[in-house]
Every structure is written in structure tokens, then in C-alpha cells.
């Protein structure tokens, strides 16, 4: 099995990936990350038409590039939330754009990935399959059944949705790596996500055995992300990530019944809706106030966590202090990680 760098030949080590954050990570962000030597990802949610538009934007961005414009696959990844999208709706877009990576996450049953992986490989044999999981058991099961090229081990610090029961990457990644090795499944590359926002986190993940790192929250403060200014301001303002964010299924009930599969919850900044919930306010009242807040001009995003709209963010949010270009984020994380690893190696 070729190494991750060989599979993604335009990348520089260590490989930095932006998370396929649905609605936030579009073609503009993905192409900027790829052009900086990372792996850019586009996040897809309900509409395949929107995903096509974003893939087209990325494709245009590479057109005049001497090598990326003519590569066999489109040098970005696209993420699908498999519990919301229908496989048959997604496949024509995959076949047309041939993304270098197809990222799968949040299936109703872990077995669903097997069908998705096989179908994607059939319509686009050069696309690599990446699947994000949050436990050792899931990593083993998915590795055996769906045979992905890459497993992304998502730790508890991650922003957005993840396994309700999960460990941080510091134990999750090595335990998953050992378990996979024991079953003869070491050919699957492992990448890490959850709480990584700079070169220090990148270096740590590499020493745990990751071959690449995925960052979501850090890219919420990038110039190319699609995010409401009030949400971005709250990310910059946040301090002390373990205190100011929390995991809860309540966030998925703000708009009505929770549609997420049972095993997932999500990490968000502790907005007013959550504070009210903890203080015993009934869900119906919280939903009513939320509905009113998101129809206002600021869409429910207010400074000082006074807003009611959910703002997905990981525990690394306290380290995110400024908005930078995706290029600067990727290059500085890469440079800092290398410097740290060299320094540590001298010890
Ligand atoms: C705003 C936001 C939206 C996200 N949306 C998705 C998504 O649509 N699909 C997905 O697979 N993961 C999604 N994630 C989770 C990421 O894949 C990744 O696990 C996470 O961002 C890593 O943790 P970090 O935010 O601490 O970097 C999202 C994360 C955030 C912060």
C-alpha cells in the first residue's frame, strides 16, 4: 500500500487536512489548503447540488495550476454524512469530479460504510476512502468490513459531532493502532482529529502514530471559511476550551427532534440555550427562544456567549486567536511541528 504522501503527491509533510465541515468548508477553503500543500476538504450536508457547486469552485481554482490542474483526481476530498445523504444521489457527483478522497462519517450503522465504500470505488477507483470513527471497536469493525484506505481517529476534544463515548486521541490513536496491527490491518493509514489547532498538536499527533492531522476548529478562523462573523468572533473570543465548550445531544434538539444516529453527540461553545438547559428550562421553551433568536439579523450569534444558536467548536478553541489565510494556517502548523519534532529528537 503506498504511503499517504504517495497517495496525495502534491502534499508536504506533515500533511495538514481541513475537516470537511458541512456548510463551512467549501471549494474556496479546500482549494487554498491543497494549494498550500495540505489536503483540502469540502463538507457536504443535505444538498448534493451544493456539493457539486463547491467541487466546481475547487476544480476552477486548479485549472491554471501546472500540475494540480491535470491530476487524475481532483486534488481535494469531499465529506459525506452518510445518515443524511442517499448513496445513489452522491455517486454521480463522485463519478464526475473524481475527488482524491471521499470521506465518510456518521452512518446509522457501522456496516453502512461497507456499501458506501464499495460503491464509491466502483464509480471512481482512484478516489481514496477515508472514514472517521471515535472508538477502537469502531475502528476495527470498519477496517475489517469497509476496508478504507485511511481511518481518521476522532478524539473527544473534537468540535462538531463525534462519538458520545470517546477518548482523547492521546490514548485512542495508539490503542486503535495496536488493535489494528494485531488483526493484520496495519496497511490502513491512521490520521488524527480532535483538539489540534497548531504545530504543537500536529507534532503530538504524529508522535502518537498519525500520518496526517485533521483540523476543524482552527479553520473556523480562516479567511476562506463560510462562517457567520458573529460565530467567528465567538471563536476568537473563547478561552479555556474545556470550560467554554461542552458535548451534548441538546444541541441537536434546538431545531426539533434529534435526527443524528444514537451514538453521536456534538461539542459546541456553551451558548445561552445550553445554559438554560442546565438551569432546568424545558426543551420546548428553549426551542421557542432559539427559533426567535435565529430569525434575528445576527442569526442568534452574540458576543459573550449570550446568543442561542449552536456554535460547534473543539476544546482547542482557546488557542485560536486570529483569523489567518488557510495558506498561513497550513504552513505555520507544518513549520512549527517540524521545529518541535527536531527539538524533541535532540533530547
Ligand atoms: C464547525 C464544525 C463542523 C463540522 N462538520 C463536520 C461534517 O460535516 N462532517 C464531518 O465528518 N465532520 C465534521 N466536523 C468534525 C470534524 O470532522 C473533525 O472531527 C473536528 O473538527 C476535529 O476537531 P477540532 O474541531 O478540534 O479540530 C465538524 C467540526 C466542526 C468544528
Amino acid at each position: 500500500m503506498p504511503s499517504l504522501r504517495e497517495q496525495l503527491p502534491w502534499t508536504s509533510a506533515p500533511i495538514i487536512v481541513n475537516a470537511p465541515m458541512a456548510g463551512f468548508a467549501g471549494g474556496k477553503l479546500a482549494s487554498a489548503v491543497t494549494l498550500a500543500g495540505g489536503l483540502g476538504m469540502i463538507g457536504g450536508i443535505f444538498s448534493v447540488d451544493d456539493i457539486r457547486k463547491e467541487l466546481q469552485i475547487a476544480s476552477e481554482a486548479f485549472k491554471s495550476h501546472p500540475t494540480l490542474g491535470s491530476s487524475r483526481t481532483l486534488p481535494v476530498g469531499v465529506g459525506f454524512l452518510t445518515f443524511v445523504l442517499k448513496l445513489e444521489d452522491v455517486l454521480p457527483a463522485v463519478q464526475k469530479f473524481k475527488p482524491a478522497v471521499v470521506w465518510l462519517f456518521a452512518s446509522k450503522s457501522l456496516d453502512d460504510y461497507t456499501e458506501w465504500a464499495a460503491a464509491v470505488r466502483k464509480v471512481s477507483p482512484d478516489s481514496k476512502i477515508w472514514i472517521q470513527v471515535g472508538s477502537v471497536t469502531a475502528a476495527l469493525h470498519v477496517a475489517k468490513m469497509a476496508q478504507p484506505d485511511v481511518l481518521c481517529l476522532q478524539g473527544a476534544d473534537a468540535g462538531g459531532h463525534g462519538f458520545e463515548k470517546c477518548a482523547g486521541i492521546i490514548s485512542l490513536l495508539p490503542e486503535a493502532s495496536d488493535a489494528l496491527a494485531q488483526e493484520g490491518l496495519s496497511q490502513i493509514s491512521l490520521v488524527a482529529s480532535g483538539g489540534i489547532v497548531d504545530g504543537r498538536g500536529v507534532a503530538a499527533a504524529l508522535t502518537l502514530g498519525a500520518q496526517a492531522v485533521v483540523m476543524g476548529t482552527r479553520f473556523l478562523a480562516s479567511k476562506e471559511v463560510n462562517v457567520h462573523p458573529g460565530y467567528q468572533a465567538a471563536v476568537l473570543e473563547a478561552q479555556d476550551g474545556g470550560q467554554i465548550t461542552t458535548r451534548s445531544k441538546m444541541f441537536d434538539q434546538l431545531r426539533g427532534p434529534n435526527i443524528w444516529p444514537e451514538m453521536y453527540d456534538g461539542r459546541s461553545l456553551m451558548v445561552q440555550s445550553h445554559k438554560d438547559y442546565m438551569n432546568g428550562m424545558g426543551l420546548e421553551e428553549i426551542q421557542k427562544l432559539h427559533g426567535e433568536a435565529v430569525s434575528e439579523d445576527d442569526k442568534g450569534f452574540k458576543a459573550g456567549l449570550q446568543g442561542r444558536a449552536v456554535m460547534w467548536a473543539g476544546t482547542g478553541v482557546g488557542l485560536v486567536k486570529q483569523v489567518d489565510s488557510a495558506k498561513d494556517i497550513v504552513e505555520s502548523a507544518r513549520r512549527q511541528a517540524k521545529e518541535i519534532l527536531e527539538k524533541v529528537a535532540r533530547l
Side-chain angles (χ1 to χ4, degrees):
M1 172 77 76
S3 73
L4 214 48
R5 289 275 320 285
E6 286 160 345
Q7 290 174 31
L8 308 168
W10 69 88
T11 55
S12 303
I15 303 174
I16 314 281
V17 184
N18 74 276
M21 300 179 283
F24 301 89
K28 197 171 163 199
L29 176 61
S31 54
V33 170
T34 288
L35 287 165
L39 168 63
M41 290 269 194
I42 291 168
I45 189 153
F46 298 109
S47 154
V48 178
D49 281 347
D50 287 349
I51 298 170
R52 279 176 179 270
K53 273 184 213 143
E54 297 302 335
L55 283 162
Q56 188 59 40
I57 291 171
S59 156
E60 301 284 334
F62 303 129
K63 261 205 175 122
S64 55
H65 190 278
T67 51
L68 293 176
S70 56
S71 51
R72 279 164 71 90
T73 53
L74 182 65
V76 293
V78 59
F80 298 119
L81 294 171
T82 54
F83 81 99
V84 272
L85 288 163
K86 286 206 181 74
L87 181 54
E88 63 266 28
D89 293 343
V90 159
L91 289 177
V94 171
Q95 189 164 25
K96 175 168 185 228
F97 287 95
K98 298 186 177 42
V101 167
V102 172
W103 163 294
L104 307 175
F105 182 54
S107 63
K108 278 199 188 96
S109 152
L110 291 176
D111 291 326
D112 296 346
Y113 293 128
T114 310
E115 190 193 355
W116 276 70
V120 166
R121 284 185 168 126
K122 209 165 166 191
V123 299
S124 181
D126 290 329
S127 298
K128 300 294 175 195
I129 307 286
W130 290 34
I131 300 178
Q132 181 168 246
V133 291
S135 75
V136 177
T137 313
L140 271 178
H141 189 86
V142 169
K144 284 182 198 158
M145 303 302 293
Q147 297 165 3
D149 300 285
V150 171
L151 275 170
C152 176
L153 275 309
Q154 184 199 37
D157 292 298
H161 289 87
F163 279 33
E164 186 181 22
K165 290 189 223 158
C166 75
I169 55 165
I170 198 143
S171 60
L172 176 62
L173 203 123
E175 191 183 344
S177 172
D178 288 352
L180 290 163
Q182 228 163 39
E183 298 282 334
L185 294 163
S186 297
Q187 79 283 3
I188 298 173
S189 304
L190 301 183
V191 311
S193 69
I196 305 166
V197 294
D198 62 20
R200 292 170 290 184
V202 174
L206 295 178
T207 60
L208 294 169
Q211 293 190 26
V213 300
V214 178
M215 304 199 287
T217 300
R218 179 61 185 96
F219 284 101
L220 288 174
S222 66
K223 288 185 180 155
E224 295 83 352
V225 75
N226 299 318
V227 69
H228 189 280
Y231 186 160
Q232 194 171 61
V235 166
L236 297 177
E237 186 185 70
Q239 288 180 35
D240 206 352
Q243 295 276 312
I244 207 161
T245 69
T246 192
R247 302 193 74 95
S248 176
K249 282 180 184 286
M250 190 276 312
F251 298 121
D252 292 315
Q253 294 172 291
L254 289 172
R255 289 178 186 276
N258 184 357
I259 60 166
W260 279 77
E262 180 59 29
M263 69 176 128
Y264 297 92
D265 67 1
R267 184 181 287 283
S268 160
L269 290 171
M270 273 191 228
V271 294
Q272 190 60 41
S273 302
H274 187 264
K275 285 182 241 165
D276 288 343
Y277 181 69
M278 295 309 282
N279 288 332
M281 188 186 279
L283 195 57
E284 259 181 46
E285 179 65 7
I286 294 174
Q287 286 171 337
K288 186 177 136 281
L289 292 170
H290 176 265
E292 288 164 10
V294 297
S295 62
E296 284 170 20
D297 284 349
D298 64 14
K299 308 278 183 228
F301 301 122
K302 286 190 185 6
L305 298 185
Q306 304 289 310
R308 296 190 163 274
V310 63
M311 291 189 273
W312 308 114
T315 59
V317 70
L319 287 161
V320 180
K321 294 291 170 215
Q322 62 187 50
V323 176
D324 290 307
S325 67
K327 181 175 190 284
D328 285 347
I329 294 172
V330 171
E331 287 178 351
S332 80
R334 211 159 53 205
R335 190 174 48 244
Q336 192 189 17
K338 276 189 186 162
E339 281 166 13
I340 291 170
L341 291 169
E342 279 161 18
K343 201 164 138 193
V344 173
R346 285 198 295 273
L347 286 179

